[in-house]
Amino acid sequence: RALVSLEGDLKGCYYPLSGSSSYAPKLGGMLPAEEAELSGAGMLFSCPDASASLSSGMGRHWPDARGVFTNDSRSVAVWVNEG
């Protein structure tokens, strides 16, 4: 909530990962076009696949409660619950 309430140059949107059902305004997560855009800009993270990460529980409940906040000009990105 704190990020989506920012104003001025930091005003932007939260994009939950595809398949996420934990953010009511965007149930199901970001659209494929949004995912492609954020991935192409290097602003997106992916599901952990390393054995050590998975055994530590990093992928638990994937992708719920995970996403990316970006400001409208895409000059700022915040990974939410990446790790």
Side-chain angles (χ1 to χ4, degrees):
R1 292 183 189 179
L3 293 170
V4 295
S5 67
L6 293 172
E7 297 180 0
D9 291 343
L10 296 177
K11 183 178 188 283
C13 280
Y14 173 68
Y15 299 93
L17 294 184
S18 295
S20 176
S21 60
S22 60
Y23 185 60
K26 291 188 178 189
L27 289 177
M30 66 182 88
L31 300 173
E34 294 167 332
E35 185 174 2
E37 178 186 349
L38 293 172
S39 181
M43 295 181 165
L44 194 59
F45 56 92
S46 58
C47 181
D49 59 1
S51 296
S53 297
L54 292 172
S55 65
S56 72
M58 256 183 87
R60 187 175 298 130
H61 306 296
W62 193 270
D64 285 338
R66 292 170 173 87
V68 179
F69 171 86
T70 66
N71 67 339
D72 291 339
S73 65
R74 299 283 199 263
S75 62
V76 173
V78 177
W79 289 357
V80 178
N81 293 330
E82 182 268 341

